[in-house]
Amino acid sequence: EDGDFLALDLGGTNFRVLRVKVSDNGLQKVEMENQIYAIPEELMRGSGVQLFDHIAECLANFMDKLKIKDKKLPLGFTFSFPCHQTKLDESILVTWTKGFKCSSVEGKDVVSMLRKSIKKRGDFDIDIVAVVNDTVGTMMTCGYDDHNCEVGLIVGTGTNACYMEEMRHIDLVEGDEGRMCINMEWGAFGDDGVLNDIRTEFDREIDMGSLNPGKQLFEKMISGMYMGELVRLILVKMAKEGLLFGGRLTPDLLTTGHFETRYVSAIEKEKEGLQKAHEILTRLGLEPSHEDCVATHRICQIVSTRSANLCGATLAAVLRRIKENKGVERLRSTVGVDGSVYKKHPHFARRLHKTVRKLLPDCEIRFVRSEDGSGKGAAMVTAVAYRLAAQHKARQKILEALKLSQEQLLEVKQRMRTEMERGLGKETHAEATVKMLPTYVCSTPDGTEKGDFLALDLGGTNFRVLLVRVRNGMRRGVEMHNKIYSIPVEIMQGTGEELFDHIVHCISDFLEYMGMKGVSLPLGFTFSFPCQQTSLDEGILLKWTKGFKATGCEGEDVVSLLKEAIHRREEFDLDVVAVVNDTVGTMMTCGYEDPYCEVGLIVGTGSNACYMEEMRNVELVDGEEGRMCVNMEWGAFGDNGCLDDVRTEFDVAVDELSLNPGKQRFEKMISGMYLGEIVRNILMDFTKRGLLFRGRISERLKTRGIFETKFLSQIESDCLALLQVRSILQHLGLESTCDDSIIVKEVCTVVARRAAQLCGAGMAAVVDKIRENRGLDFLKVTVGVDGTLYKLHPHFSAVMHETVKQLSPKCEVTFLPSEDGSGKGAALITAVACRIREAGQR
């Protein structure tokens, strides 16, 4: 913490205004200036407006004196009365205590009332950042010097305590991770009658004569406002019964409030106590004997000891709870204490400590006196709040670039539409980034397909080999058997020959596994990389994506590469009928279930889409009639710079360090391979700026790829507690606080939401084009979807659906998740191709 702060400390007939300077130059230092102001008795019982006008006037006086009226300083307000807080800078007064009875304040926000009084003056302005109870201020004051301090205690005019409670136990506040300071308002303990068995006739008499009968009963048994009055009532009763002062009473002894609590402290002093008793009793018009002075001393001792014991018992209950919350065998904790009774009574503190130690033999409790009052604590709370607010503002400013408006999303949709037209056009195709590749898939299943087919599904670090049995007629359906194989990184980035030999080795293993080694079957090859197709069974690889770098493949026909590898093995022969993209496979898989399915979408490791385009618009292929599925290869959208205004510094960093800098820019903003890395870059930036993890960057956070996209899905899960978020961060070597966990979760939310919105904007462009192609006012269409990000992230799909709905209001879009992946689709395309081929032969 660093800066210049004001504090206002209101909790009795006097209040303090403080200026607290906190400097952090490696060794933190706090300087304070303060002034005490009185609150006249008539204001304590007048109107709330008058009280707060008086406070504002004293504040102005103090700022005048220090010549700081022209500065708008942050202020912390210690308001030591029972309040209900909804946030740090809002506090609703529940009930007045300590002799205050100002009208029109109970049930109101005291911060708003103070702000109005300041605004009415108009000669200065301050920023009220935090309102705290004096117990909280005391805990913070003592906590500045002793980091074990987790309890605040006041025993003065009134009494109260606060302590650090586990968030999981605070049902009134959302969140279950970390701790929050609870203002107990323990003065009202016993208001429900639970202390009736230990309350005496004197306690009841004090209560009946108070300004708030029936309330704050515990406080009336132990605090400085009532201790002297308790002694006075006992002295009066004893005098009436002839046990003291020879049965004599005086007007002063019979007057409420004439035996002050400070008299109790004076009479209990070791050496001069009896002499003080004689002086005080004489001042009350009595002629005390030595025995009267001894008896008065004993009465003071009994009253103050009971007070210390009751206070110690309740404090022991608080500390026992902290011990149980922590689950430790032996609690080591510190209690910060303030208040005139605790500080000025000669024996109160010692008795209190003794009671606590007696009741908690298994705890080591240290008591630290607050030397600077609760005002310094309020300033420290303000300093922390101010730092957190400034950090929050800085984080929001950085994240703002990742939050897209409706206008921006409409612009992205329009740009995608422009790039689609360029990809379809014969003249513009060569330089188009969204390639709109013809797939030669012109027909969807009609239900007459039948037979056994092999399918190969290659699109990431794992690939599948499938046997697909298609049945028609009454038993229409698809039966599948498959096995998953991995591709080691050295093969992904080795030679093309090694890659295709590995694939054929896996096909051989699968055929053996299925007992079909000698059978020659038609094969559909799902190859999920950008390819130029000139026919259904030929695909020229344009460029590798998703981390693949196998040499000798780009510019080659992948079907030929596969056939050559099969011939090299000389074990079996296969009829490669079709090569398709995974998006096309997904569309066909879902199209088998839903005849409205004319769009395929993948949002997983990478991202891409396909759809049924009118042949008249596919200028690269001859023919005007019917439709053909177009593989958009939309991952490259933006490679020409058309998305530069929505790309951030984090997107640029991820792109520059990728295997294919400057390429697949849209994919790098929305797909699973990159989202975790975007989050990691943001977390790194926040940490370097001191906005996260206390500015400490772990070595693991510096490691590229360490923050996997699956962590985004886990962290954003609605049912996941922040405690589990912390365990994920700890797994990454990041020591986080509750606040850190919340920030990381927010970053994940912002990054994933943007990805879903961008994906939705792209999809809106596709469905609108289909609608306009067909001259429809309204289009009903289904999108077949696959991919881990879409399926596993808790919010991605919902945000994407909502975006499409907003950007394409004239389309009713249904999203159908593909349960069987794109491999089944490849087999279905092969089945359709075989059906058409057989019909042609006939």
Side-chain angles (χ1 to χ4, degrees):
E1 284 72 40
D2 202 359
D4 202 351
F5 305 93
L6 285 173
L8 191 59
D9 190 356
L10 174 65
T13 50
N14 292 326
F15 75 98
R16 283 202 305 165
V17 183
L18 306 92
R19 181 191 192 178
V20 181
K21 282 186 178 178
V22 185
S23 53
D24 182 14
N25 49 1
L27 187 67
Q28 258 201 349
K29 200 169 89 174
V30 178
E31 296 171 45
M32 291 201 308
E33 297 167 87
N34 71 89
Q35 191 161 332
I36 294 171
Y37 296 91
I39 299 179
E41 200 166 321
E42 60 272 19
L43 282 184
M44 288 171 65
R45 291 174 175 79
S47 78
V49 173
Q50 288 172 323
L51 172 67
F52 284 100
D53 283 352
H54 174 68
I55 293 167
E57 188 180 336
C58 296
L59 199 49
N61 171 283
F62 180 75
M63 292 174 81
D64 251 340
K65 186 178 155 193
L66 295 180
K67 296 183 172 55
I68 53 171
K69 246 185 175 178
D70 57 328
K71 295 182 179 179
K72 187 179 178 179
L73 294 178
L75 178 136
F77 185 12
T78 305
F79 187 74
S80 309
F81 301 91
C83 286
H84 175 64
Q85 282 194 249
T86 49
K87 47 189 179 182
L88 194 57
D89 65 345
E90 184 178 280
S91 198
I92 315 295
L93 177 63
V94 176
T95 178
W96 281 118
T97 56
K98 307 174 194 168
F100 278 74
K101 264 291 177 186
C102 295
S103 62
S104 306
V105 184
E106 290 180 353
K108 301 268 183 71
D109 172 26
V110 295
V111 175
S112 294
M113 294 193 76
L114 179 57
R115 280 177 180 148
K116 279 178 190 168
S117 291
I118 291 167
K119 193 175 180 184
K120 191 163 54 176
R121 290 183 60 86
D123 58 339
F124 70 94
D125 194 13
I126 54 171
D127 181 11
I128 304 172
V129 174
V131 58
V132 297
N133 189 276
D134 53 353
T135 51
V136 182
T138 297
M139 184 185 77
M140 291 294 281
T141 299
C142 297
Y144 185 77
D145 299 312
D146 184 334
H147 298 312
N148 283 327
C149 186
E150 50 193 340
V151 181
L153 171 66
I154 301 282
V155 197
T157 309
T159 183
N160 192 15
C162 71
Y163 72 102
M164 297 303 290
E165 177 60 90
E166 304 296 313
M167 282 289 286
R168 65 180 183 272
H169 296 149
I170 309 169
D171 291 343
L172 296 177
V173 179
E174 281 185 32
D176 57 359
E177 217 284 333
R179 301 199 297 170
M180 182 184 279
C181 182
I182 292 287
N183 165 20
M184 292 180 68
E185 288 302 334
W186 80 4
F189 177 37
D191 288 7
D192 57 354
V194 296
L195 295 180
N196 285 354
D197 56 335
I198 60 169
R199 287 177 74 228
T200 65
E201 60 182 285
F202 309 110
D203 297 309
R204 284 188 280 276
E205 194 174 337
I206 276 183
D207 179 42
M208 292 304 292
S210 70
L211 288 167
N212 55 349
K215 293 179 179 176
Q216 300 294 107
L217 297 185
F218 185 61
E219 182 170 82
K220 286 168 185 170
M221 294 169 80
I222 65 174
S223 77
M225 190 163 183
Y226 305 98
M227 199 184 287
E229 186 61 12
L230 271 171
V231 172
R232 187 189 71 80
L233 291 173
I234 296 166
L235 293 177
V236 168
K237 178 164 176 114
M238 287 191 167
K240 281 181 178 176
E241 293 185 4
L243 302 172
L244 281 177
F245 316 128
R248 186 166 164 261
L249 292 163
T250 65
D252 274 334
L253 185 62
L254 289 169
T255 305
T256 302
H258 271 210
F259 199 100
E260 298 173 39
T261 297
R262 63 193 175 98
Y263 296 167
V264 179
S265 299
I267 288 168
E268 282 198 69
K269 284 182 179 170
E270 286 294 339
K271 291 176 182 172
E272 60 208 84
L274 289 178
Q275 184 193 330
K276 286 288 181 187
H278 192 275
E279 286 173 17
I280 289 161
L281 294 170
T282 304
R283 214 177 298 152
L284 293 171
L286 298 161
E287 295 172 5
S289 65
H290 177 71
E291 288 73 19
D292 290 335
C293 293
V294 171
T296 302
H297 178 272
R298 182 71 183 126
I299 291 164
C300 289
Q301 198 177 49
I302 287 168
V303 167
S304 65
T305 300
R306 182 186 75 153
S307 173
N309 287 345
L310 285 171
C311 198
T314 43
L315 184 59
V318 174
L319 291 161
R320 174 71 62 195
R321 181 172 178 86
I322 293 172
K323 180 178 182 288
E324 287 167 3
N325 281 346
K326 289 184 176 181
V328 292
E329 281 187 29
R330 190 168 186 82
L331 176 70
R332 288 180 178 83
S333 190
T334 299
V335 179
V337 202
D338 205 352
S340 52
V341 173
Y342 183 88
K343 284 181 169 179
K344 293 179 179 175
H345 191 283
H347 308 297
F348 187 94
R350 180 178 51 80
R351 290 171 188 157
L352 170 68
H353 302 169
K354 188 177 176 183
T355 303
V356 170
R357 284 169 187 142
K358 192 175 178 182
L359 294 175
L360 296 173
D362 52 353
C363 298
E364 287 176 32
I365 308 302
R366 182 170 179 245
F367 292 83
V368 174
R369 280 169 51 146
S370 167
E371 297 306 331
D372 302 309
S374 51
K376 176 183 170 183
M380 295 314 299
V381 171
T382 304
V384 171
Y386 213 64
R387 168 175 59 80
L388 294 177
Q391 290 178 342
H392 177 73
K393 196 174 174 183
R395 284 192 297 268
Q396 291 310 308
K397 192 176 177 185
I398 293 164
L399 291 178
E400 205 55 46
L402 290 120
K403 294 176 183 176
L404 301 175
S405 66
Q406 181 86 345
E407 291 70 29
Q408 285 175 301
L409 290 169
L410 279 166
E411 186 60 36
V412 170
K413 173 191 166 184
Q414 188 51 51
R415 291 175 196 174
M416 175 67 87
R417 181 64 182 272
T418 302
E419 295 303 309
M420 287 167 74
E421 302 288 0
R422 284 162 55 81
L424 288 168
K426 205 167 193 174
E427 301 295 321
T428 50
H429 176 82
E431 70 269 10
T433 52
V434 179
K435 283 296 179 189
M436 305 296 283
L437 304 170
T439 65
Y440 295 86
V441 172
C442 300
S443 181
T444 50
D446 67 0
T448 65
E449 294 79 14
K450 62 177 181 177
D452 289 357
F453 306 92
L454 271 181
L456 190 59
D457 189 356
L458 174 66
T461 50
N462 293 326
F463 76 101
R464 289 198 303 164
V465 184
L466 306 93
L467 173 68
V468 181
R469 292 195 162 116
V470 184
R471 300 284 174 261
N472 63 3
M474 293 289 288
R475 292 170 57 232
R476 180 177 184 268
V478 177
E479 179 192 324
M480 292 200 310
H481 304 273
N482 72 89
K483 206 170 176 187
I484 295 171
Y485 298 90
S486 66
I487 302 178
V489 175
E490 61 271 17
I491 288 179
M492 281 169 67
Q493 295 174 15
T495 67
E497 206 168 273
E498 287 168 340
L499 174 64
F500 282 94
D501 282 348
H502 176 71
I503 291 166
V504 171
H505 167 74
C506 296
I507 295 172
S508 173
D509 176 81
F510 178 74
L511 290 171
E512 200 168 303
Y513 166 73
M514 295 298 297
M516 301 177 71
K517 202 66 179 276
V519 183
S520 179
L521 293 174
L523 179 138
F525 186 10
T526 303
F527 187 73
S528 310
F529 301 91
C531 285
Q532 182 83 53
Q533 286 191 251
T534 51
S535 63
L536 187 61
D537 63 350
E538 183 184 279
I540 311 297
L541 175 63
L542 297 177
K543 59 182 174 183
W544 282 119
T545 57
K546 307 174 201 173
F548 277 73
K549 273 283 184 184
T551 58
C553 298
E554 290 181 354
E556 298 294 325
D557 171 24
V558 293
V559 175
S560 296
L561 294 174
L562 178 63
K563 284 177 175 174
E564 285 165 16
I566 291 169
H567 293 149
R568 275 198 300 274
R569 194 163 181 95
E570 295 182 343
E571 271 186 28
F572 53 86
D573 198 19
L574 296 171
D575 176 15
V576 184
V577 174
V579 59
V580 298
N581 189 273
D582 53 352
T583 50
V584 184
T586 297
M587 184 187 77
M588 291 295 275
T589 299
C590 296
Y592 190 74
E593 313 293 336
D594 182 342
Y596 283 103
C597 186
E598 298 185 76
V599 184
L601 171 66
I602 303 284
V603 200
T605 309
S607 181
N608 192 15
C610 70
Y611 71 101
M612 296 304 290
E613 179 58 271
E614 306 301 312
M615 276 293 289
R616 67 178 184 271
N617 296 332
V618 187
E619 294 181 11
L620 296 181
V621 179
D622 293 335
E624 295 283 314
E625 291 302 309
R627 295 172 187 147
M628 180 183 281
C629 182
V630 169
N631 165 20
M632 293 178 67
E633 287 301 334
W634 81 0
F637 177 41
D639 287 6
N640 59 355
C642 72
L643 289 180
D644 284 0
D645 57 337
V646 293
R647 287 175 80 225
T648 66
E649 58 184 290
F650 309 110
D651 297 306
V652 172
V654 167
D655 178 36
E656 284 176 351
L657 290 171
S658 68
L659 286 168
N660 53 350
K663 295 179 181 177
Q664 299 295 103
R665 289 181 176 179
F666 188 58
E667 181 171 81
K668 285 169 185 168
M669 294 169 83
I670 64 175
S671 76
M673 188 164 183
Y674 304 98
L675 293 194
E677 190 59 11
I678 294 171
V679 169
R680 188 187 71 84
N681 274 274
I682 296 169
L683 300 185
M684 284 273 289
D685 185 67
F686 279 6
T687 310
K688 283 174 186 172
R689 294 171 189 260
L691 305 175
L692 187 64
F693 304 135
R694 292 176 182 155
R696 298 186 198 120
I697 300 181
S698 73
E699 284 306 312
R700 295 203 71 188
L701 188 60
K702 293 178 188 173
T703 310
R704 276 184 60 229
I706 195 76
F707 201 99
E708 296 171 49
T709 296
K710 69 175 182 181
F711 295 146
L712 267 81
S713 298
Q714 290 168 2
I715 285 169
E716 278 207 78
S717 174
D718 291 327
C719 59
L720 191 73
L722 284 172
L723 194 63
Q724 289 160 291
V725 175
R726 274 183 87 177
S727 72
I728 290 169
L729 296 175
Q730 278 165 357
H731 165 74
L732 295 173
L734 303 170
E735 284 303 317
S736 65
T737 62
C738 174
D739 286 339
D740 290 333
S741 301
I742 292 167
I743 293 160
V744 170
K745 192 167 184 175
E746 186 186 7
V747 172
C748 291
T749 300
V750 169
V751 169
R753 182 176 178 79
R754 184 189 68 154
Q757 287 177 323
L758 286 171
C759 199
M763 190 44 61
V766 173
V767 296
D768 261 2
K769 183 160 188 357
I770 296 172
R771 181 180 63 78
E772 288 171 24
N773 280 347
R774 298 174 193 179
L776 299 171
D777 289 331
F778 191 80
L779 173 72
K780 182 179 165 71
V781 69
T782 297
V783 178
V785 202
D786 205 352
T788 49
L789 188 59
Y790 180 88
K791 286 182 170 179
L792 300 181
H793 191 280
H795 307 300
F796 188 96
S797 58
V799 174
M800 191 188 87
H801 299 170
E802 185 57 35
T803 306
V804 174
K805 195 175 175 182
Q806 286 172 354
L807 301 184
S808 296
K810 293 181 180 177
C811 299
E812 183 190 318
V813 186
T814 303
F815 290 86
L816 180 62
S818 165
E819 297 306 325
D820 303 307
S822 51
K824 175 182 170 182
L828 286 167
I829 290 168
T830 304
V832 171
C834 288
R835 166 172 62 81
I836 292 167
R837 188 167 65 182
E838 283 167 22
Q841 285 167 355
R842 282 200 298 273

